[in-house]
Amino acid sequence: MKDRVCIHGAARSIGSSCVELTSGRDHLILDYGKPLEGEGPVPFKIPKKRFHRYQFMLSHSHLDHCGYVNEIPKYQYPINEKIRVLATERTIRAMELQNPDVQLRDIETLCPDLIWGWHGFWYTFVYADHSAPDACSLIISTKRNTFLYTGDFRLHGRRSDDYTQRIQGVLKHRYFAGKPLTIITEATNVGKEMGQSEQDVEDELAKEFEKPGLVMVKMANQNLQRIESVYNACKRSGRIMVTEPYTAYCALELGKQERNLAGELAGKPFDIKPDGKVWKVFNIQSSWTSRLAESGELKQFGGRIKITKDQFESMSDRVVAVANYGMQDFLEKKNLVNRVVWSMWKGYPCYEKLCSRYEVRCIHASGHVYERDLVRFIRELHLERTILMHSGDPMRIAGLIGDCTEPVVLSDGQEIKLRGGRH
């Protein structure tokens, strides 16, 4: 009997990531994401024709990988066997913070680096470096094959140093060794050989913050390494990082258990609370501020506004404002914005709007592996085959790795059957 791999979403695009591994009657669904913009159909529906066993596994908390988690049925048809949905504890918490009205109690937590069995599969989660907290890659084996699903990852962040070595170490385990290895990998940064590292971002931010005038930084609230870079750059340049409560809450709530690839706590600088010297919390009115006030969570910031509007204006040359959840509106109404640092992917619609109004400088390290690092990573693993996805041009990467692995590029809904060697 053959194993099968089907890419249901993001086979030749970015968004709606969903991969199905099948071994006999058993099916693992890896990620269950939404499109990058707007809504669309779920990438995969469990068929009702006959009984099979299904389990969902989520690599990280970004919506293009987990956004349709509430659409997963709780039980299988035609018999009432519960469908399991698995993720790490930090991934579940990050999903809750993104979607406060979503109930995620049915998701089961698994600890990375422990090996688990489910019917025809053995699998483990391995910490990866990405812009989402506790992002993981998944290593899965059947009787005939071993698979590495990278999810989204990079090799140029603060937590990337031993990623390849840890993957190689896990693959030596008796449940995974001795079988043909297939990688299912993202190739987002096709055509971008190399770029900035997270340390490069911190260094450039520190130089930018030395210039006069208030700086407004646009970044993702849950990108803990980027918050760390902004925080460190403020310390180096003598500025104060000002955030609204939600960003501070994300950093403290998610950062207190952030771990590096070795599983050790990697919470610096999140082992301290905003102290008013380098990091102040400005109580901008928003739906999230109201929720945190009602729940009592604002008390951990002293239960009061850490910086007043008058202080904000008087300290404009010393302030770096992380502008989310009301902060940008406040700054614009007060005409306080001198320049903007964009520290995210440029594809978001608000990037062009900001460029039309302000001087915008992009200082950003991608959350995705650069092309040269990806090719080197594939060569080091000695793979039987490489299934490319999550890319606008996977054929380019296929042309770069054909001498060391069998590259496979599918279309959405297309599957490949694997006997245990090359197909």
Side-chain angles (χ1 to χ4, degrees), residues 57 102 105 137 152 156 162 304 310 317 323 348 397 419:
M57 304 170 73
V102 172
R105 295 191 184 97
S137 299
D152 289 352
H156 55 272
D162 62 347
R304 57 187 173 83
D310 291 338
D317 285 341
Y348 294 115
I397 302 295
R419 298 184 183 90

Side-chain angles (χ1 to χ4, degrees), residues 81-114:
E81 178 166 319
K82 189 172 183 180
I83 296 174
R84 301 176 71 198
V85 183
L86 307 176
T88 67
E89 182 180 356
R90 290 298 94 193
T91 292
I92 296 171
R93 185 65 183 122
M95 291 163 61
E96 290 173 339
L97 289 173
Q98 287 184 113
N99 303 280
D101 299 323
V102 172
Q103 298 297 318
L104 301 170
R105 295 191 184 97
D106 290 331
I107 300 181
E108 300 180 37
T109 60
L110 285 181
C111 296
D113 297 326
L114 296 179

Side-chain angles (χ1 to χ4, degrees), residues 21 53 78 90 104 109 224 234 269 326 362:
L21 299 184
R53 291 180 287 245
R90 290 298 94 193
L104 301 170
T109 60
L224 300 184
C234 286
C362 185

Side-chain angles (χ1 to χ4, degrees), residues 83-364:
I83 296 174
R84 301 176 71 198
V85 183
L86 307 176
T88 67
E89 182 180 356
R90 290 298 94 193
T91 292
I92 296 171
R93 185 65 183 122
M95 291 163 61
E96 290 173 339
L97 289 173
Q98 287 184 113
N99 303 280
D101 299 323
V102 172
Q103 298 297 318
L104 301 170
R105 295 191 184 97
D106 290 331
I107 300 181
E108 300 180 37
T109 60
L110 285 181
C111 296
D113 297 326
L114 296 179
I115 296 174
W116 305 79
W118 179 78
H119 297 297
F121 296 98
W122 291 96
Y123 54 85
T124 186
F125 285 56
V126 180
Y127 282 116
D129 193 331
H130 184 46
S131 53
D134 274 14
C136 286
S137 299
L138 311 173
I139 299 178
I140 302 155
S141 75
T142 66
K143 292 180 179 179
R144 293 163 291 276
N145 293 280
T146 294
F147 301 91
L148 166 60
Y149 174 66
T150 64
D152 289 352
F153 79 112
R154 63 180 180 175
L155 297 173
H156 55 272
R158 299 183 191 278
R159 318 278 189 251
S160 299
D161 289 346
D162 62 347
Y163 177 74
T164 303
Q165 291 74 23
R166 288 180 60 74
I167 291 291
Q168 291 171 329
V170 173
L171 289 173
K172 293 177 182 178
H173 192 279
R174 62 189 179 93
Y175 287 123
F176 308 118
K179 304 170 188 176
L181 175 59
T182 296
I183 187 174
I184 306 167
T185 182
E186 66 136 307
T188 306
N189 279 324
V190 61
K192 189 174 183 179
E193 287 193 10
M194 290 299 292
Q196 290 186 310
S197 68
E198 196 61 43
Q199 185 59 51
D200 293 335
V201 168
E202 178 185 319
D203 294 341
E204 286 204 32
L205 287 172
K207 292 178 182 178
E208 185 70 20
F209 295 167
E210 290 174 357
K211 302 175 184 177
L214 184 143
V215 184
M216 185 174 80
V217 176
K218 293 289 289 183
M219 55 165 286
N221 299 80
Q222 295 191 8
N223 188 342
L224 300 184
Q225 292 190 42
R226 189 58 43 80
I227 293 176
E228 183 174 348
S229 294
V230 175
Y231 180 93
N232 289 343
C234 286
K235 288 180 68 176
R236 290 168 58 177
S237 61
R239 285 195 177 240
I240 299 171
M241 182 172 78
V242 179
T243 69
E244 37 60 52
Y246 174 70
T247 299
Y249 183 72
C250 282
L252 296 173
E253 178 66 16
L254 298 174
K256 65 187 178 185
Q257 293 191 36
E258 172 82 337
R259 295 176 181 273
N260 62 22
L261 296 175
E264 300 169 347
L265 286 175
K268 185 181 180 180
F270 309 114
D271 55 353
I272 62 170
K273 295 182 179 181
D275 58 5
K277 295 180 180 178
V278 180
W279 184 357
K280 295 191 177 186
V281 180
F282 184 30
N283 199 349
I284 294 283
Q285 288 302 311
S286 68
S287 59
W288 260 107
T289 299
S290 299
R291 288 191 185 100
L292 295 175
E294 291 171 3
S295 66
E297 294 291 348
L298 283 182
K299 292 181 180 178
Q300 66 180 311
F301 307 125
R304 57 187 173 83
I305 298 174
K306 289 289 186 180
I307 180 173
T308 67
K309 294 181 181 181
D310 291 338
Q311 287 175 320
F312 213 140
E313 293 181 76
S314 66
M315 296 191 306
S316 60
D317 285 341
R318 295 183 55 218
V319 167
V320 171
V322 178
N324 295 299
Y325 288 93
M327 180 74 78
Q328 181 177 341
D329 291 342
F330 166 77
L331 295 174
E332 290 180 335
K333 288 177 181 177
K334 288 289 185 180
N335 198 28
L336 290 171
V337 179
N338 296 108
R339 63 188 188 279
V340 177
V341 170
W342 182 268
S343 199
M344 294 187 290
W345 178 53
K346 289 183 179 180
Y348 294 115
C350 54
Y351 175 72
E352 295 297 332
K353 294 180 181 178
L354 279 173
C355 288
S356 67
R357 297 199 301 267
Y358 302 109
E359 173 192 345
V360 179
R361 184 180 176 198
C362 185
I363 303 177
H364 178 53

